[in-house]
Structure formats: C-alpha cells, structure tokens
C-alpha cells in the first residue's frame, strides 16, 4: 500500500517534470519568433536594441525579488522547507536589477532613464500575474514559474549574453547581468524534484504547476514583444 | 480502415566502404583548414565508414534515382512479391538528380527499364531527412484507405555531389567567415551516399516477420524556427529568401559566385531546434502515444554521435529516456545517408533479427532543414 502511494507520487512528479519540459520547449519556440530575439539570432542586433532590452527587463526584475518574498510569506509551517527555498530565492534575485542598471550605463544609457521607465505592457501582465499567484495560500504552483525563470537564467541568458557580446563587440562588464546568470544558475532539477514531491498530491496539482509555467512563459515572451510599449 | 505492414526492406550502398583516411581522396581537398576541421568533425560524429557513388577522379558511379531503384529492387526481392505487383511508389530525397521533373518519376523510370513494372501512381517528397517519413506516411495512408495494395517507399541521397571542391571554389572567399566555414564543413564530413527502401502492404507477409505500422506522426516547427540546413541561398542571406539562387540577375553562375550553391547547416540554431524536437517527443508521451517503458527497440536517426549525446541528455533530464541498450543504429559503419538512413537501419535491423512478436519499435527521424520531427511506431508480427 505504502509502495503504491510512493509509486503514484513518483508518477505525478514525472508528469509534472514532463509538463514543465514541454512548457519550456514551447516557450523557447515562442522566443524564436519575438522580434528582438529574432534580430539577435540573425546577427542583426544593434546597441539600441540591447539598451531597450535592459531597460524593459529592469522593472520586472525589481519586482522579481518582491513576488518571491510575498510567496514565501504565504507558505504555512507544514511546508517550512518550501518557505526556506522561496526566501533563499528572493535573496539571490533581489539585487539583480542593480546589475542591469550598471550594464545599461556601461552601454551609454543614464541611471535616470532606466529608473524612470515605466513597465511595458507585457511586464505589467507578468508582474500582476506573479503577485496574484504569490498572494494565495501555499502558492506551490509558483514552482512552475521558478522553473521557467531559472531556465531563462541557466539556458537563455548565457546564450543571449554571449551572442550580444560578440555581435556588439562588448566587454564582460557591459553584459554581466546575462553572463552572471548563465554562470551561477545551475540546473536546480534535483531541488525541484524534491519540492514537487512535497507539494504535488494529485493530477490537479500537476496541472496547476504546469499551467502556471505556461502562463509565465507566454507573459515573459509578451514582455519581450512589447519593448518600449508602455 | 485496413492495417498496414512493412513486409521487407532493402538497401543499396554504392562501392566499397570508405574509411576516414580516404574521404579526402574521393571528395577532393579544399584547403588545409578544411582538413583540420574534418579531423575535428570526425571525432565528434564518430562515423568510421561511409559510401560514395563517386570515384577518386570525381566521376559519378550512379545517380540518386539509380541508387533508389537498386534499393527498391532489393526490398522487393526480400518480400514475397514481384515488382509487377507494386501499385504505388513514394520517394523521399533532399535533392533529386534533376531540378525538374520530380524524383519519383526518375525512380519509376529506373525501375521500369526492365519492363517489369507498369504504369503506377507515384509521389515525390522533397525535404531533407524526414522526406523518407513523408513518403512512408503517404504510402501508409494510401494503403490504409484501399487506394493501393502494395507500395514501394524509397529514401535516397547523393550528398557527395555537393562536396566536390568545384562546388566551393566559385565562392571560397565566403568560407573565410568562421560560422560559414563551419556550416559547410560539418555536412561535408558527415553526409554520404546511399539508398534504402521499404515494401509496405495492406496484409502481413505470408512467411517471416512483418512490422505493423501503428501510426506515423510528423510535425514541422518552421512556424517558429529559422532555416537551419539549406542550399540555394548564400549562408549570410539565408533569412532573406528573395535572394535565392534562382533570382540571381547573372543566373546560376552568378549565384554560385555568391555562395548560393553550397550545402550549409547553422550549428548554433541546431542546438535550439534539438530542444524543440525533444519537446514534441515529450508531448507524445504526455498524450499516451509513446510509453517509454513499453518501447522495445529505438531506431533514431541522428547525424553525429555528439548530437545523440545531446538528445539523450535532454531525454534523461525529462525522465523520458528509453534504455540505451534498446537503441539500434548503423550510423558509424554506413554513414549518415539523410533520408535513406532510417530505411538502411530498418533493412539491417530486420535481417539481423533479435525481435519478438508483439514488440514495439519506435523510429525517429528529425530533420534540421527547418525543424521537422517525425515518429513511426511499429509492432512486430509473425505471420
């Protein structure tokens, strides 16, 4: 009986992993079609495009540390470990926007310009969704959101950072936000497996995690599509 | 609708097997850099032998259609049919011998030279590796709905034609760019010639094994991915198809001088496309079409060992790996023959045995061209 339960749990975790991997590959396909990424992939990026990218990412990255912290405050004591995980995550993220600002200035922008830029339409939608999910009790579906955000750091950022550096002839200190993420966001798959096993109890939990990942992917792509549309 | 079976397979690999040390003697040498990159690429793809329908003087020994017809005849010999009983022919290839007309016409003509095949329905599929699966799917559907009784399906390539120095010489300056050079050399040291064929029927064979075709699923991701493997446009112009070879004001000679008549592959994009392919595989598992633990044999086409490693790493990360001991390939001894590869694998696999009634065989053919992925599920039947 106990074995049956753990086997069932294992199957649910596998289904969640699979759903997340499908959401990820679909997201990567969406990114291929985003104009600024297509420009980068085709080798046509200009310094103004890169500055716009940094400026448009900053506002949502500032929020990043905040929604994870809010999510942590909605995790109950029975799920203490998940709360620790969220808090650790919030700490590692909450200074990231300063690196974006430094890169923006190193590429000819001003602090005033990047700080005063409003969120673009996509960033508004992404942030609103994140805070909405984070405000619910035990918002474990956000594990799906974190999977996507971590994937952006560990897979896309390093790929984009290297391409931007080469195409625009920049130095490391001008692209440090993307290169740093590539170097420091390892695959957190073991950790994610542990956390999914603790929080996924039935098929609807799996759907919730995967659906959250899909929504975050779509809204993140929207943020990149809506550069400077505020 | 009727069940459809693969009842026999045939292969044709031209000439002697060519080891790594003799490749340059047959293809010809471009320059020192090409030779250096060749050694690196061969370490990555781990191909040890291949065949070329071309001799050391650069003379063609056969045609693409000629090889397809030889493989088709071999498949019919291995079946319990005569060529005269075939009523449908579907061909897949990357590039036929002629620009016009279609490849299936040329293969039908080559088969008909002995007056043993009459007028039949044909279909030409031109893509890259997955053109084989497109041809197989058309035969599958045609047989399933009773439009034909016995189909021949071929996959064939004469890749070596692209790799003679004469194809690069008009635009050698283009190869000074590192990415363009790599895009050209990877294929030059990876692809080779050959043909494979299947006999498919609406009944299992009377004696011996048949593989029932459960389903064939092919997906194009060209809606999202840029072109990855191409010929007919210069590498740096590849995102602007209006600049293709046939629009060149100075005709084919001008297009060649601009580097439009070279076979190229964007190696950076390929890595992103592989993740898209694995996503489609996972989606089939999610829908219950593939149950990894219930698959007994995997025949997956891949162009290089290093890409196999990449695919396996991604499958493991998603918990969707099929045990490596269930994977069958002959890439390392027969080369990467593009659209012919799956059928050349099936021919060796079928003849070798080692499968039992009821076992499931998953065939996978990805195509880098513009991100196509195709799957075919077979069940072993003993008549």
């Amino acid at each position: 009986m106990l074995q049956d339960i753990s086997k069932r749990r294992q199957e649910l975790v596998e289904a969640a992993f699979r759903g997340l991997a499908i959401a990820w590959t679909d997201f990567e396909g969406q990114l291929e079609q985003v104009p600024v990424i297509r420009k980068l992939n085709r080798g046509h990026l200009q310094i103004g495009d890169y500055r716009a990218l940094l400026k448009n990412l900053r506002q949502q990255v500032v929020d990043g540390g905040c929604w994870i912290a809010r999510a942590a405050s909605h995790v109950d004591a029975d799920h203490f470990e998940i709360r620790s995980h969220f808090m650790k995550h919030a700490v590692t993220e909450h200074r990231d926007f300063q690196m974006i600002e430094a890169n923006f200035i190193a590429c000819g922008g001003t602090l005033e310009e990047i700080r005063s830029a409003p969120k673009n339409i996509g960033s508004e939608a992404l942030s609103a969704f994140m805070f909405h999910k984070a405000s619910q009790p035990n918002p474990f579906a956000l594990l799906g959101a974190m999977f996507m955000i971590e994937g952006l750091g560990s897979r896309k950022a390093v790929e984009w950072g290297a391409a931007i550096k080469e195409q625009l002839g920049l130095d490391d200190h001008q692209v440090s936000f993307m290169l740093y993420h590539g170097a420091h966001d390892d695959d957190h798959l073991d950790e994610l497996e542990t956390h999914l096993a603790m929080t996924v109890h039935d098929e609807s939990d799996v759907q919730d995690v995967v659906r959250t990942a899909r929504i975050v992917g779509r809204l993140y792509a929207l943020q990149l599509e809506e550069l400077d549309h505020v | 609708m009727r069940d459809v079976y693969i009842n026999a397979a045939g292969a044709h690999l031209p000439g002697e097997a060519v080891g790594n040390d003799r490749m340059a003697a047959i293809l010809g040498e471009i320059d020192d850099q090409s030779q250096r990159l060749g050694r690196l690429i061969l370490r990555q793809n781990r191909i040890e032998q291949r065949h070329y329908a071309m001799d050391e003087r650069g003379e063609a020994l056969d045609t693409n259609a000629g090889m397809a017809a030889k493989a088709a005849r071999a498949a019919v010999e291995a079946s319990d049919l005569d060529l005269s009983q075939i009523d449908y022919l579907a061909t897949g290839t990357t590039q036929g011998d002629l620009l016009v007309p279609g490849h299936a016409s040329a293969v039908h003509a080559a088969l008909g030279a002995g007056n043993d095949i009459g007028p039949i329905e044909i279909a030409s599929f031109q893509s890259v590796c997955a053109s084989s699966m497109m041809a197989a799917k058309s035969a599958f559907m045609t047989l399933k709905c009773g439009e034909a009784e016995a189909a021949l399906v071929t996959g064939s390539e004469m890749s070596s034609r692209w790799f003679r120095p004469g194809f690069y010489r008009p635009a050698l300056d283009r190869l000074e760019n590192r990415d363009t050079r790599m895009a050209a050399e990877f294929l030059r040291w990876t692809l080779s010639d050959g043909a494979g064929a299947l006999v498919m029927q609406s009944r299992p064979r009377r004696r011996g094994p048949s593989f029932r075709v459960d389903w064939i699923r092919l997906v194009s991701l060209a809606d999202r991915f840029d072109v990855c493997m191409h010929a007919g446009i210069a590498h740096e112009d590849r995102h602007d198809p209006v600049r293709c070879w046939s629009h060149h004001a100075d005709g084919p000679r001008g297009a060649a001088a601009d580097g439009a008549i070279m076979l190229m592959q964007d190696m950076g994009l390929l890595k992103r496309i592989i993740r898209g392919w694995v996503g489609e595989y996972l989606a089939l598992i999610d829908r219950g079409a593939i149950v990894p633990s219930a698959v007994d044999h995997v025949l997956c086409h891949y162009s290089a060992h290093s890409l196999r490693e990449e695919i396996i790493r991604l499958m493991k990360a998603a918990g969707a790996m099929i045990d490596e001991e269930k994977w069958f390939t002959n890439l390392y001894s027969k080369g990467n023959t593009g659209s012919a590869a799956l059928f050349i694998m099936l021919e060796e696999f079928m003849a070798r045995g080692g499968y039992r009634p009821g076992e499931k065989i998953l065939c996978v053919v990805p195509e880098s061209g513009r991100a196509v992925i195709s799957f075919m599920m077979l069940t072993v039947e003993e008549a």
Side-chain angles (χ1 to χ4, degrees):
Chain A
M1 186 64 189
L2 260 177
Q3 253 183 346
D4 284 351
I5 293 170
S6 73
K7 186 165 177 271
R8 174 78 188 129
R9 180 65 60 87
Q10 185 57 33
E11 283 170 3
L12 288 170
V13 170
E14 275 176 21
F17 255 110
R18 207 164 49 237
L20 288 174
I22 294 169
W24 172 261
T25 54
D26 197 45
F27 172 52
E28 274 204 284
Q30 289 176 38
L31 288 175
E32 294 282 328
Q33 303 166 76
V34 171
V36 69
I37 301 301
R38 183 145 267 184
K39 237 173 153 177
L40 176 65
N41 284 338
R42 292 180 175 183
H44 302 150
L45 200 80
Q46 293 174 347
I47 188 77
D49 298 320
Y50 176 46
R51 272 201 304 268
L53 190 59
L54 290 170
K55 189 168 75 180
N56 283 264
L57 282 174
R58 180 197 173 273
Q59 320 311 335
Q60 173 258 318
V61 171
V62 171
D63 279 1
C66 303
W67 66 256
I68 303 172
R70 183 181 292 187
S73 74
H74 284 96
V75 176
D76 65 24
D78 288 347
H79 299 88
F80 178 76
E81 275 189 52
I82 307 270
R83 192 198 290 170
S84 301
H85 170 63
F86 282 9
M87 284 161 74
K88 259 189 279 171
H89 205 91
V91 170
T92 56
E93 301 273 313
H94 90 295
R95 285 181 187 280
D96 277 358
F97 73 92
Q98 293 173 339
M99 220 183 293
I100 296 186
E101 290 176 353
N103 289 171
F104 186 73
I105 294 164
C107 289
T110 66
L111 195 58
E112 193 195 357
E113 186 190 352
I114 193 168
R115 286 199 175 160
S116 63
K119 283 193 190 103
N120 78 30
I121 291 168
S123 309
E124 288 285 5
L126 180 60
S127 262
F129 176 73
M130 291 301 208
F131 280 115
H132 159 71
K133 285 304 261 191
S135 304
Q136 293 169 355
N138 288 329
F140 302 135
L142 282 173
L143 288 170
M146 289 179 196
F147 171 82
M148 301 297 270
I149 304 281
E150 277 168 7
L152 275 160
S154 63
R155 292 177 210 174
K156 300 313 285 188
V158 68
E159 181 187 303
W160 292 341
I164 290 168
K165 193 181 150 186
E166 193 189 316
Q167 274 175 46
L168 302 178
L170 300 177
D171 287 329
D172 280 0
H173 79 280
Q174 292 168 296
V175 201
S176 57
F177 172 70
M178 293 196 184
L179 296 180
Y180 162 90
H181 267 275
H184 289 82
D185 273 14
D186 301 325
D187 273 343
H188 297 136
L189 292 178
D190 288 346
E191 207 178 40
L192 177 63
E193 187 171 1
T194 310
H195 295 139
L196 285 173
M198 291 162 71
T199 56
V200 168
H201 301 287
D202 56 31
E203 195 57 43
S204 81
D205 290 340
V206 172
Q207 294 301 327
D208 205 15
V209 169
V210 172
R211 199 167 157 271
T212 302
R214 284 176 50 218
I215 293 169
V216 167
R218 181 65 198 103
L219 295 181
Y220 196 96
L222 187 67
Q223 163 175 265
L224 297 182
E225 286 166 17
E226 297 288 343
L227 289 192
D228 291 342
H229 296 169
V230 295
Chain B
M1 294 227 259
R2 312 186 297 182
D3 279 341
V4 174
Y5 303 85
I6 295 172
N7 285 345
H12 175 75
L13 291 156
E16 301 282 304
V18 175
N20 293 354
D21 55 336
R22 283 188 55 235
M23 288 174 78
I26 292 177
L27 296 178
E29 292 189 20
I30 302 176
D31 56 18
D32 288 348
Q33 195 189 355
S34 172
Q35 297 300 109
R36 264 199 315 279
L37 283 170
R39 287 190 289 275
L40 171 77
I41 290 160
L42 286 166
R43 276 200 298 279
Q44 286 173 353
N45 68 27
R46 294 208 199 166
I47 299 172
E48 290 164 6
Q49 290 184 339
R50 77 283 295 147
H51 294 252
Y52 294 121
M54 187 173 288
D55 68 15
E56 303 203 351
R57 292 163 301 156
E59 299 277 340
L61 304 173
D62 206 336
T63 59
N64 185 339
M67 288 189 281
K70 289 185 180 76
R73 281 184 182 278
V76 172
E77 297 253 311
S79 77
D80 51 20
L81 297 177
D82 293 328
L83 201 49
S84 61
Q85 291 168 279
I86 299 293
D87 53 1
Y88 185 74
L89 167 69
T91 65
T93 189
T94 302
Q95 179 62 60
D97 301 302
L98 305 184
L99 296 179
V100 180
H103 188 54
S105 296
V107 177
H108 184 205
L111 282 172
N115 280 336
D116 35 11
I117 191 167
I120 55 167
E121 181 172 349
I122 60 167
S124 298
F125 291 87
Q126 187 276 320
S127 199
V128 196
C129 305
S131 60
S132 56
M133 205 67 104
M134 296 172 189
K137 174 114 188 202
S138 94
F140 174 63
M141 298 304 292
T142 302
L143 292 163
K144 218 172 181 27
C145 62
E147 285 281 297
E149 298 302 321
L152 258 175
V153 182
T154 67
S156 58
E157 300 289 357
M158 180 130 176
S159 306
S160 62
R161 63 158 68 104
W162 297 101
F163 304 142
R164 298 283 304 161
F167 271 70
Y168 302 97
R169 212 172 283 129
L172 266 185
D173 54 321
R174 301 282 176 142
L175 296 184
E176 284 166 18
N177 176 288
R178 198 187 54 185
D179 288 344
T180 306
R181 169 66 80 147
M182 200 57 203
E185 297 285 356
F186 175 78
L187 297 176
R188 189 166 192 261
W189 298 94
T190 297
L191 300 178
S192 55
D193 305 340
L198 304 178
V199 170
M200 293 171 71
Q201 290 178 259
S202 52
R203 61 157 177 84
R205 59 185 293 156
R206 301 219 158 78
R207 275 193 312 278
S210 295
F211 297 159
R212 192 185 70 229
V213 182
D214 296 334
W215 48 261
I216 298 175
R217 163 105 180 138
L218 183 143
V219 182
S220 161
L221 301 174
D223 61 325
R224 51 203 66 188
F225 287 108
D226 270 332
V227 66
C228 182
M229 179 175 164
H230 63 89
I233 195 160
H235 195 54
E236 55 269 44
D237 293 336
R238 65 193 184 279
H239 306 304
D240 190 10
V242 79
R243 300 178 65 83
C244 67
W245 75 276
S246 51
H247 296 182
H248 202 286
D250 295 329
R253 195 183 292 269
D258 279 358
I261 315 295
M262 295 194 266
L263 194 62
M264 295 279 178
Q265 170 134 284
D266 180 341
M267 299 305 290
L269 175 55
L270 180 59
K271 290 196 179 121
R272 304 204 297 279
I273 288 178
I274 288 176
R275 296 203 285 267
W277 291 336
V278 172
E280 291 302 315
Y281 166 72
L282 296 174
L284 285 175
I285 294 175
D286 229 36
R287 270 181 256 145
I290 297 174
V291 180
S293 60
V295 173
D296 301 289
H297 308 277
V298 178
L299 275 62
C300 178
H301 171 61
Y302 47 89
S303 51
H305 186 82
S306 53
L307 299 178
R308 169 195 170 114
E309 303 280 283
E310 177 75 7
I311 292 169
I312 286 179
R313 193 182 64 77
L314 291 170
M315 287 168 77
K316 281 184 176 161
M321 181 58 191
I322 298 170
D323 293 343
E324 267 189 83
E325 61 262 29
K326 294 179 175 175
W327 288 49
F328 173 86
T329 186
N330 53 19
L331 171 79
Y332 310 105
S333 59
K334 295 188 171 166
N336 178 343
T337 52
S339 67
L342 174 65
F343 302 161
I344 290 173
M345 265 194 271
L346 268 168
E347 188 272 337
E348 187 173 329
F349 179 82
M350 216 166 183
R352 188 195 65 153
Y355 44 81
R356 286 192 298 274
E359 287 190 336
K360 295 281 180 194
I361 304 165
L362 175 63
C363 303
V364 187
V365 182
E367 167 174 312
S368 59
R370 196 154 186 166
V372 177
I373 177 77
S374 58
F375 304 88
M376 174 166 68
M377 187 68 88
L378 307 174
T379 302
V380 179
E381 290 222 356
E382 199 90 40

